[in-house]
Amino acid sequence: MTSTPKLSDLAGQLADIVGAANVLVDAADTAPFLSDWRGRYRGAAQCVVRPGNTGEVAAVVRACVEAGVPIVPQGGNTSLCGAATPDATGRAVVVSLGRMNRILALDAQNNTITVEAGCQLAAIQEAAQAADRLFPLALASEGTCQIGGNLSTNAGGVQVLRYGNTRELTLGLQVVLPSGEVWDGLRGLRKDNTGYDLKHLFIGAEGTLGIITAAVLKLYPLPKTLTTCWLNIASPAAAVELLNQAKSRFDAQLTAFELVSEPSLALVQQHIPGASRPTASSPWYLLAEFADAEPAAVEYWLGERLADGSVSDGVLAASAAQAKKLWALRENISEAQKIEGVSIKHDIAVPVSRIPEFLARADAALAAAFPGIRVVAFGHVGDGNLHYNLSKPDAQDNALFLACQAEVNRIVHDTVHALNGSISAEHGIGQLKREEILRYKSATEIDLMQTIRTALDPRGLMNPGKLPGPR
Amino acid sequence: MTSTPKLSDLAGQLADIVGAANVLVDAADTAPFLSDWRGRYRGAAQCVVRPGNTGEVAAVVRACVEAGVPIVPQGGNTSLCGAATPDATGRAVVVSLGRMNRILALDAQNNTITVEAGCQLAAIQEAAQAADRLFPLALASEGTCQIGGNLSTNAGGVQVLRYGNTRELTLGLQVVLPSGEVWDGLRGLRKDNTGYDLKHLFIGAEGTLGIITAAVLKLYPLPKTLTTCWLNIASPAAAVELLNQAKSRFDAQLTAFELVSEPSLALVQQHIPGASRPTASSPWYLLAEFADAEPAAVEYWLGERLADGSVSDGVLAASAAQAKKLWALRENISEAQKIEGVSIKHDIAVPVSRIPEFLARADAALAAAFPGIRVVAFGHVGDGNLHYNLSKPDAQDNALFLACQAEVNRIVHDTVHALNGSISAEHGIGQLKREEILRYKSATEIDLMQTIRTALDPRGLMNPGKLPGPR
């Protein structure tokens, strides 16, 4: 980058703002910021800047905009769709929020926590727990991901059924706009009807409308008991019926409802040391968790379900350790599938009522097009969200299977679309589905998004190349 | 309007779209649509149009935009801030959604109901109940207001503590944009991360960004038991402490938590026939309701609170009829205050933790400025939202008191602002607080709102004069 004095000027200006130690230019220093954690995307940047506070972020944005340089905001860099990786031109500046990791305030009586964007999710969970409160967002990457990234992708996870997505857990935001101005919406209010609800525009915008620098998040009472069970059921339709039956009985005490197919469990049993079947074999399983329900009430409910045949076998975890083991069966599916070999993954949502139809239609269409293809379906059935993954037929080689990816995606996404669903339930669009989404969103919706993006960022410098661009 | 052929042309065009019977021009026909229900605002319009479906709304918008004529969307016309009343120029066309009152679908397994914007709130509650589900939005005007208005003002009410505002109850929208295009976002998904969440932009926008024509709303299990109690407490600080204590014990089973001051209850007792005190006299009261909690558990909890002195007296409703009587005490405060005489009202929110400080500061500042002024404070303390109303000193005459309105507003709103609160918690801005809000929002926030408004409605024809305009 020393060949273009213009760029050096900018790096120098940025060093004046954040300190030279916080402007990374050497390849060895910048490498971790230029590739996503799975190594699927690799980009380049003139430098990586690590501001220490909101004022510095604003000054960095102003300097970049003045220089006409694209800005790529980055949190814990755990995106599954390349949303935080710069493109290959090397023109961009990566703004890494990791130094802004302070818990700014915790108001136990208001049930809110105010945090900087660079806070790790796990640190927020811990701070809440220390105040006898729950911050319910929980994800596989919680020890690495940062709340700014969770907000920018509206992260989901395993407790959405009860507590909602990141969006529903957010009361206020502070954002550095593409103009370099700071919008201070750090309010901790449950009700505030004074104009457009701007925070919802920035949540899930993948950094294209500004850089989230801080947030006020909701806290909940810490559950005093958790009751976890593993249930054998006959079909996805039985899962949806049981979900509503459990909701009607336990309402908000039902906090998780996860579907696992037999092929998913079989992979875990095969590849994950120590994994053992909690029940007899069954085509489908459910992992359900209840917070603050009387364990005896859950046991009674389960007894009734065994008696009426809607559940054919089931175990209730007798200890926290046993509950953890049940959760490990669910959480290790991705890992087991990775060990098994290459796979083609989907993160889809349909109305909960249409989960059975989705599975029937997608399974049949794939079996017809790709004989022997293995469906590994599991996920948050309580939210209508499945991770619908395909493993290659036993006999096929990897390259041949991966060559079918576009065609497989088409079948799955067309089925989702026919059922009024979403081709990205919780992972976002990023670079991965930027073109794909154009097939399924109306021109009106794409235009509306583009109109807003252009209005807020007329020069198109905020995380360009992420989310759909103009048609 | 016959004096300007241009306008007649438009009315004729509109009649071609919706049928002549659905274009009202005579003064006797249009009068109910040109004034708000409280008679605080009175406007004029060239006509009132009553479209029967979304296509007609879109055609009406296109015709008005082509003619350069302002559009005022109107639902049940129950706004408390003049948000649905046209201005006095007579240029506008009022688009009344009342004919679009069909329940389009109810998906019990997905826990969603799809409705047209003109559905009365009560009709939606009833349709949900008929399917053994709860639509939890509940307001005083539910027999008159329409869901399109509830959405456009993000209505609150008495169950926000458990279920959230209208915004949190909405999964999808269909909107006619200022361009006359239809955005079809009628999705019933719990998770959908495919770009900006456009629905949140239209919810609470008071019709300035388009006309909401239909919505997909969340349903919940119908509670099987409700337990209602009336509690005597010493202070607002005791209310906040008890709120958190009850949340920790009952979590989502706590569905309402309403604060009532002794002067509020005294007015009800004085003016509402049949109203009687359920407990001994106390400076403050709470009305708390629990859904699906064991009544014995609530009784035990109340016993503990009486024993530890945090509640000095209390009754648990022994029947639905008695619960209704307790709710009537809370719901009749506005009516009683109206009978008592003129009042100056505020709909404010602060962080729940700061409710005691708000009351102490506002009470003291008002007492100093207006000796003898009577504070009638009550409301949704569980959401940090109070209706903080002032009645005139006994000896003062009405005109003299009302002349102080601006000064009283200033004291109350400055106190709210100092505590990082909102001057409109659930009623919106409309015409009423259009200037006032400019004192409290940052220039950056007003500009951001204006940028979005101009981007979506470049000609400024959607409900002009509502929400803040450009500085």
Side-chain angles (χ1 to χ4, degrees):
Chain A
M1 51 158 284
T2 47
S3 62
T4 53
K6 177 86 181 167
L7 303 190
S8 289
D9 283 359
L10 178 58
Q13 277 178 51
L14 298 177
D16 287 346
I17 296 165
V18 301
N22 294 309
V23 179
L24 314 180
V25 288
D26 290 347
D29 296 334
T30 60
F33 301 89
L34 302 181
S35 171
D36 68 311
W37 67 287
R38 295 194 299 179
R40 303 279 177 95
Y41 300 91
R42 196 164 298 276
Q46 23 181 320
C47 59
V48 175
V49 191
R50 305 178 69 235
N53 58 55
T54 302
E56 288 184 8
V57 175
V60 165
V61 168
R62 286 194 300 269
C64 289
V65 169
E66 188 146 324
V69 164
I71 298 160
V72 178
Q74 193 175 94
N77 202 11
T78 59
S79 172
L80 292 162
C81 51
T85 310
D87 67 18
T89 62
R91 291 186 61 240
V93 165
V94 172
V95 178
S96 170
L97 280 290
R99 285 179 62 220
M100 293 175 57
N101 61 358
R102 289 177 303 164
I103 307 277
L104 298 174
L106 190 150
D107 182 342
Q109 284 202 319
N110 194 40
N111 285 287
T112 47
I113 187 167
T114 306
V115 299
E116 288 187 321
C119 280
Q120 278 180 8
L121 174 52
I124 300 173
Q125 294 167 341
E126 283 159 23
Q129 188 154 4
D132 199 30
R133 293 291 186 275
L134 173 74
F135 180 62
L137 186 64
L139 316 170
S141 62
E142 60 199 24
T144 311
C145 66
Q146 296 171 12
I147 193 69
N150 300 144
L151 287 159
S152 294
T153 57
N154 183 31
V158 292
Q159 301 202 87
V160 171
L161 178 65
R162 161 67 176 97
Y163 299 102
N165 298 285
T166 305
R167 179 182 301 288
E168 283 86 33
L169 299 173
T170 307
L171 292 177
L173 286 185
Q174 184 189 65
V175 179
V176 174
L177 304 173
S179 62
E181 286 174 294
V182 178
W183 170 55
D184 185 358
L186 273 187
R187 295 185 276 259
L189 303 175
R190 256 75 184 175
K191 286 181 173 173
D192 178 20
N193 282 347
T194 54
Y196 309 151
D197 196 325
L198 299 171
K199 68 174 177 287
H200 283 300
L201 201 52
F202 299 103
I203 298 172
E206 304 189 6
T208 62
L209 299 178
I211 303 179
I212 294 172
T213 47
V216 183
L217 306 167
K218 286 189 204 171
L219 300 178
Y220 286 84
L222 205 54
K224 285 167 285 298
T225 66
L226 287 179
T227 308
T228 312
C229 56
W230 184 272
L231 310 173
N232 288 17
I233 54 165
S235 65
V240 172
E241 204 143 308
L242 206 61
L243 169 71
N244 276 291
Q245 209 274 335
K247 266 186 163 177
S248 161
R249 177 75 73 93
F250 294 97
D251 193 22
Q253 292 177 336
L254 180 67
T255 54
F257 208 76
E258 300 281 313
L259 183 68
V260 175
S261 70
E262 169 57 27
S264 307
L265 182 63
L267 285 180
V268 172
Q269 222 200 339
Q270 188 179 343
H271 295 297
I272 305 294
S276 64
R277 288 178 177 279
T279 54
S281 173
S282 170
W284 295 91
Y285 308 94
L286 286 169
L287 176 61
E289 194 160 83
F290 304 80
D292 285 340
E294 291 288 340
V298 177
E299 197 171 351
Y300 184 83
W301 171 80
L302 178 54
E304 284 182 328
R305 301 291 73 76
L306 287 164
D308 71 18
S310 55
V311 170
S312 61
D313 192 6
V315 291
L316 215 71
S319 64
Q322 202 187 340
K324 207 173 158 185
K325 273 190 159 178
L326 295 178
W327 271 108
L329 295 174
R330 159 66 183 86
E331 284 166 352
N332 277 318
I333 298 172
S334 284
E335 180 63 19
Q337 202 183 9
K338 194 170 157 188
I339 297 168
E340 174 74 4
V342 297
S343 64
I344 299 174
K345 301 189 173 191
H346 305 89
D347 164 41
I348 67 96
V350 293
V352 175
S353 52
R354 308 197 81 172
I355 284 275
E357 192 179 352
F358 165 75
L359 285 166
R361 286 169 68 162
D363 287 6
L366 287 167
F370 304 100
I373 198 167
R374 290 177 292 161
V375 176
V376 179
F378 62 97
H380 320 294
V381 69
D383 315 316
N385 172 205
L386 292 184
H387 299 299
Y388 187 80
N389 299 347
L390 292 318
S391 283
K392 70 177 180 60
D394 279 325
Q396 201 176 43
D397 79 14
N398 290 347
L400 207 65
F401 182 63
L402 287 179
C404 304
Q405 171 139 14
E407 208 181 328
V408 169
N409 289 165
R410 181 72 51 250
I411 290 172
V412 174
H413 291 165
D414 281 357
T415 308
V416 166
H417 186 64
L419 299 174
N420 215 358
S422 168
I423 67 161
S424 187
E426 53 178 14
H427 296 166
I429 297 294
Q431 302 177 54
L432 179 64
K433 296 181 185 169
R434 193 168 191 247
E435 297 301 321
E436 186 76 356
I437 193 68
L438 294 176
R439 297 182 65 92
Y440 301 110
K441 292 257 189 215
S442 69
T444 303
E445 183 158 337
I446 296 287
D447 287 350
L448 204 43
M449 285 170 52
Q450 193 57 41
T451 299
I452 293 164
R453 188 169 181 170
T454 304
L456 266 66
D457 181 21
R459 299 182 63 185
L461 295 174
M462 291 305 304
N463 214 9
K466 319 296 160 52
L467 289 183
R471 275 172 194 265
Chain B
M1 48 155 287
T2 47
S3 62
T4 52
K6 175 89 181 163
L7 302 191
S8 288
D9 284 359
L10 177 60
Q13 279 179 49
L14 297 177
D16 287 345
I17 297 165
V18 300
N22 293 309
V23 179
L24 313 179
V25 287
D26 290 347
D29 295 335
T30 59
F33 301 88
L34 302 181
S35 170
D36 68 312
W37 67 287
R38 294 194 300 178
R40 303 279 177 95
Y41 300 90
R42 195 164 297 276
Q46 24 179 321
C47 61
V48 174
V49 190
R50 305 178 68 237
N53 58 54
T54 302
E56 289 184 7
V57 175
V60 165
V61 167
R62 285 194 299 269
C64 290
V65 168
E66 189 147 321
V69 165
I71 297 159
V72 178
Q74 192 175 93
N77 202 10
T78 58
S79 172
L80 292 163
C81 50
T85 311
D87 67 18
T89 62
R91 293 186 59 242
V93 165
V94 172
V95 179
S96 171
L97 280 289
R99 286 179 63 220
M100 293 175 58
N101 61 359
R102 289 177 304 164
I103 307 276
L104 299 174
L106 191 150
D107 183 342
Q109 284 201 320
N110 194 41
N111 285 287
T112 48
I113 188 167
T114 306
V115 300
E116 287 186 322
C119 280
Q120 277 179 10
L121 174 53
I124 300 173
Q125 294 167 342
E126 283 158 24
Q129 189 155 3
D132 199 30
R133 294 289 186 276
L134 172 74
F135 180 61
L137 187 63
L139 317 168
S141 62
E142 61 199 23
T144 310
C145 66
Q146 295 171 12
I147 192 69
N150 300 145
L151 287 159
S152 293
T153 57
N154 183 32
V158 292
Q159 300 203 87
V160 172
L161 178 65
R162 161 68 176 95
Y163 299 101
N165 299 283
T166 304
R167 178 182 302 287
E168 283 87 32
L169 299 173
T170 308
L171 292 177
L173 286 185
Q174 183 189 65
V175 179
V176 174
L177 303 174
S179 62
E181 288 174 293
V182 178
W183 171 57
D184 185 357
L186 273 187
R187 295 185 276 258
L189 303 174
R190 258 72 185 177
K191 287 182 174 174
D192 179 18
N193 283 345
T194 53
Y196 309 152
D197 196 326
L198 298 172
K199 68 175 177 288
H200 283 300
L201 201 52
F202 299 103
I203 298 171
E206 303 189 7
T208 62
L209 299 178
I211 303 180
I212 294 171
T213 47
V216 183
L217 305 167
K218 286 188 204 171
L219 300 177
Y220 286 84
L222 206 53
K224 285 165 285 296
T225 66
L226 288 179
T227 308
T228 312
C229 56
W230 185 273
L231 311 173
N232 289 16
I233 55 165
S235 65
V240 172
E241 202 142 310
L242 205 61
L243 169 71
N244 276 291
Q245 209 273 337
K247 268 187 162 176
S248 161
R249 177 76 72 97
F250 294 96
D251 193 22
Q253 292 177 335
L254 179 67
T255 53
F257 208 76
E258 299 281 313
L259 183 68
V260 175
S261 70
E262 167 58 28
S264 307
L265 182 63
L267 286 179
V268 173
Q269 223 200 339
Q270 188 179 344
H271 294 299
I272 305 295
S276 65
R277 290 179 175 277
T279 54
S281 173
S282 168
W284 294 90
Y285 308 94
L286 285 168
L287 176 61
E289 194 160 83
F290 303 81
D292 285 340
E294 291 288 340
V298 177
E299 196 172 350
Y300 185 82
W301 172 78
L302 177 54
E304 283 182 330
R305 300 291 73 76
L306 288 164
D308 72 17
S310 55
V311 171
S312 61
D313 191 5
V315 292
L316 217 69
S319 65
Q322 202 187 340
K324 208 173 159 185
K325 274 191 160 177
L326 296 178
W327 271 107
L329 295 175
R330 158 67 182 82
E331 284 165 353
N332 277 317
I333 298 171
S334 284
E335 180 62 20
Q337 201 182 12
K338 194 170 157 187
I339 297 170
E340 174 75 3
V342 298
S343 63
I344 299 173
K345 302 189 173 190
H346 305 89
D347 164 40
I348 67 96
V350 293
V352 176
S353 52
R354 309 198 80 172
I355 284 277
E357 191 179 352
F358 166 75
L359 286 165
R361 286 169 67 163
D363 288 5
L366 287 167
F370 304 101
I373 198 168
R374 289 178 294 161
V375 176
V376 180
F378 62 96
H380 320 295
V381 68
D383 315 316
N385 172 205
L386 292 184
H387 299 300
Y388 186 79
N389 299 347
L390 293 317
S391 283
K392 70 177 179 63
D394 280 324
Q396 199 176 44
D397 80 13
N398 289 347
L400 208 64
F401 182 62
L402 287 178
C404 305
Q405 173 141 10
E407 207 181 330
V408 169
N409 289 166
R410 182 71 50 249
I411 289 171
V412 174
H413 291 165
D414 280 357
T415 308
V416 166
H417 186 65
L419 299 174
N420 214 358
S422 169
I423 67 161
S424 187
E426 54 178 13
H427 296 167
I429 298 294
Q431 302 178 53
L432 178 64
K433 296 180 185 170
R434 192 167 192 247
E435 297 300 322
E436 187 77 356
I437 194 67
L438 295 176
R439 297 181 64 91
Y440 300 111
K441 291 257 190 217
S442 68
T444 303
E445 184 157 338
I446 296 287
D447 288 351
L448 204 44
M449 286 170 52
Q450 193 56 41
T451 298
I452 293 165
R453 188 169 182 171
T454 303
L456 266 66
D457 180 20
R459 299 183 63 185
L461 295 174
M462 291 305 305
N463 213 9
K466 319 296 159 50
L467 288 184
R471 275 172 195 264

